[in-house]
Amino acid sequence: MVPVSPLAVKLAHRESAHILDIAGTPVHYWEYAPEDAASGVSAQTIVMVHGFRGDHHGLERVVELLPHYRIIMADLPGFGASPAFVSGHHDVAGYGRFLGSFLEALSLGPETVLLGHSFGSIVTSHFVANNPGRVYPLILVNPIASPALEGPKGIMTKLAVFYYWASAKLPAALGNALLRSKLIVHVMSVTMAKTRDKELLGFIHGQHHAYFSGFANRDMLLESFQASVSGTVREVAERLTLPTLLIAGAEDEIATLPNQHKLLKKLPDAELVVIEHVGHLIHYETPEPAAAAIIDFLERHPAP
């Protein structure tokens, strides 16, 4: 029997899995009921949108620390258990259309909280900008505040662009092997993790090896990657007039702290919470202060 990590989430008592047809795509999503659901008290609903090459598992450590909220989270089409779109592109606009249909299909009204992590922050911010009044409020974790091709990491991003492009053009077996290479996944995991806790590092690497390669096909992966490195929250910042919470990692090399402060200045009604000693993996490394910031923010911004 494989030992269960003490860091593994304990959500079985709250979790239920579902499949919903969205424009012909059977989307898999999970609902996490509030622990006090039996009391009959209506709980606020949070819809979470995961990042590039992630799925619903990645944000579950944060979900676990929000026991009094109803949380809904899909595997975005093309990732995790959800197949790729039947038609259309896997870009910011495509995922924005999906998000609108998803909210509508579940009859989720304007009092719904929307949370996006990393690439999910681009998708959610653009959706909100294009659909004012549709949700309230907005929470962005490790928000992408500037194009990845800009700044000191631009060279590494260009190498990543070539990696995804070449993987899509190579013969299928070779391209898929390259994209799902355990060595490359491990290098990515080691690069992003900032913790020195060996147990937590082991958990993070295990999560990435288990779920990072869960994508539908090479073409949709290339489309979504190109969207993830070219789109930003900054593009629509001035149109995000609802209360917005930014949760940033002080050591984030993808969504750098100076760019978070620049983004904050562009947002009409926003606040920034910076978590020390963490980079782009807030959802894995520091879920406790992230959850605390979310709870505090939502208590101060109740649904209108």
Side-chain angles (χ1 to χ4, degrees):
M1 182 179 293
V2 178
V4 177
S5 168
L7 296 172
V9 296
K10 301 172 180 64
L11 286 168
H13 62 298
R14 294 177 58 192
E15 180 183 63
S16 58
H18 309 269
I19 301 176
L20 184 64
D21 184 280
I22 302 291
T25 300
V27 174
H28 292 245
Y29 76 94
W30 285 257
E31 180 172 345
Y32 306 86
E35 289 189 347
D36 46 5
S39 67
V41 177
S42 179
Q44 200 166 11
T45 299
I46 305 174
V47 171
M48 295 186 174
V49 180
H50 64 74
F52 176 70
R53 289 191 73 163
D55 64 15
H56 73 283
H57 292 95
L59 290 167
E60 284 192 325
R61 293 198 77 204
V62 178
V63 172
E64 188 176 30
L65 297 167
L66 300 171
H68 303 301
Y69 295 87
R70 175 195 181 207
I71 297 172
I72 296 174
M73 184 160 40
D75 283 356
L76 290 177
F79 295 103
S82 296
F85 288 131
V86 173
S87 62
H89 297 291
H90 299 79
D91 55 13
V92 175
Y95 283 122
R97 287 190 293 270
F98 155 75
L99 184 55
S101 298
F102 184 71
L103 294 172
E104 188 69 25
L106 293 178
S107 300
L108 296 172
E111 72 285 351
T112 304
V113 181
L114 192 56
L115 180 151
H117 171 253
S118 190
F119 177 54
S121 74
I122 305 174
V123 173
T124 54
S125 61
H126 281 244
F127 172 78
V128 170
N130 292 326
N131 298 274
R134 186 62 184 84
V135 297
Y136 184 96
L138 177 65
I139 300 169
L140 305 176
V141 182
N142 293 119
I144 304 301
S146 64
L149 291 169
E150 292 182 2
K153 293 293 179 179
I155 297 298
M156 296 301 295
T157 302
K158 289 176 182 177
L159 290 175
V161 169
F162 177 75
Y163 164 72
Y164 282 100
W165 177 85
S167 297
K169 301 302 179 184
L170 288 168
L174 183 57
N176 279 310
L178 185 61
L179 288 169
R180 293 187 167 97
S181 165
K182 291 184 177 180
L183 176 61
I184 292 177
V185 170
H186 190 72
V187 169
M188 175 280 305
S189 189
V190 169
T191 301
M192 289 202 294
K194 300 303 178 185
T195 181
R196 296 182 180 180
D197 184 301
K198 291 183 178 180
E199 186 174 58
L200 180 55
L201 271 176
F203 174 79
I204 292 169
H205 297 334
Q207 291 286 296
H208 283 143
H209 281 294
Y211 306 118
F212 200 69
S213 296
F215 57 89
N217 59 65
R218 298 178 298 160
D219 291 335
M220 63 75 43
L221 191 65
L222 177 60
E223 283 183 345
S224 58
F225 173 73
Q226 290 172 332
S228 74
V229 297
S230 58
T232 69
V233 178
R234 186 177 72 187
E235 295 170 302
V236 295
E238 290 88 349
R239 294 160 57 197
L240 302 177
T241 56
L242 75 175
T244 301
L245 172 64
L246 309 178
I247 304 178
E251 298 179 27
D252 195 335
E253 295 172 328
I254 295 174
T256 63
L257 193 54
N259 281 322
Q260 300 302 323
H261 286 286
K262 292 177 183 177
L263 175 61
L264 180 65
K265 292 179 180 178
K266 287 181 172 289
L267 291 161
D269 183 6
E271 55 191 83
L272 170 65
V273 171
V274 179
I275 302 177
E276 299 295 330
H277 312 301
V278 67
H280 206 63
L281 301 181
I282 285 175
H283 55 309
Y284 282 141
E285 295 187 54
T286 57
E288 293 87 357
I294 291 169
I295 292 169
D296 174 68
F297 179 71
L298 293 181
E299 287 178 347
R300 290 185 290 107
H301 298 88

